[in-house]
């Protein structure tokens, strides 16, 4: 299966573009969608990019909020002991933030 975003360079998979376009246009059949996909993608590119940008903005905001909570939990662990899971969660949050930031940077390019 194909990833939604390439973690290395922030490329968006064709499946993501197609899914957003499908939801926006709600075609009557898969055949019709496939026939008109390329032309409609050009016609509606700005709208499709806007939908994806909005999604990425929400995800980045949520990750920023979670980062604050992670830092508070990490501080509590330092003060009172605890598990090392927060370090793994923090690294994953940083990874997702980095990937989503790359994707967002590529959208209008």
């Amino acid at each position: 299966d194909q990833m939604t975003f390439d973690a290395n360079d922030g490329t968006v998979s064709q499946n993501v573009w197609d899914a957003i376009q499908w939801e926006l246009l709600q075609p009557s059949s898969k055949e019709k969608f496939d026939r008109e996909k390329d032309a409609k993608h050009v016609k509606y590119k700005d709208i499709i990019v806007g939908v994806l940008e909005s999604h990425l903005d929400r995800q980045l905001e949520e990750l920023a909020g979670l980062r604050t909570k992670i830092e508070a939990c990490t501080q509590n662990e330092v003060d009172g002991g605890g598990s090392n899971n927060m370090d793994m969660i923090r690294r994953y949050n940083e990874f997702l933030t980095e990937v989503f930031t790359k994707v967002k940077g590529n959208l209008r390019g």
Side-chain angles (χ1 to χ4, degrees):
D1 289 357
Q2 196 175 36
M3 296 293 292
T4 54
F5 308 123
D6 186 301
N8 295 314
D9 64 8
T11 301
V12 179
S13 76
Q14 188 60 49
N15 289 343
V16 171
W17 297 118
D18 291 351
I20 295 170
Q21 185 172 325
W22 179 276
E23 284 298 311
L24 289 173
L25 301 178
Q26 299 182 352
S28 59
S29 71
K30 173 93 168 87
E31 293 76 24
K32 180 178 180 181
F33 177 79
D34 288 340
R35 251 189 339 269
E36 300 175 348
K37 177 171 55 173
D38 293 336
K40 297 282 186 176
H41 182 73
V42 171
K43 181 176 180 179
Y44 295 107
K45 181 179 181 186
D46 288 340
I47 295 170
I48 295 168
V49 167
V51 168
L52 189 51
E53 273 182 327
S54 178
H55 172 72
L56 290 166
D57 286 342
R58 285 191 312 273
Q59 295 304 305
L60 288 166
E61 286 175 22
E62 184 176 348
L63 288 166
L66 291 171
R67 210 169 12 262
T68 302
K69 291 179 182 180
I70 292 167
E71 290 168 7
C73 289
T74 302
Q75 186 58 46
N76 289 340
E77 287 182 0
V78 169
D79 293 343
S83 72
N84 291 327
N85 288 338
M86 291 311 296
D87 187 50
M88 178 184 61
I89 293 168
R90 179 189 52 75
R91 287 192 317 265
Y92 187 65
N93 181 292
E94 290 170 357
F95 169 75
L96 290 176
T97 299
E98 181 181 315
V99 171
F100 291 161
T101 300
K102 286 178 190 176
V103 172
K104 190 170 177 196
N106 288 340
L107 286 180
R108 297 284 179 181

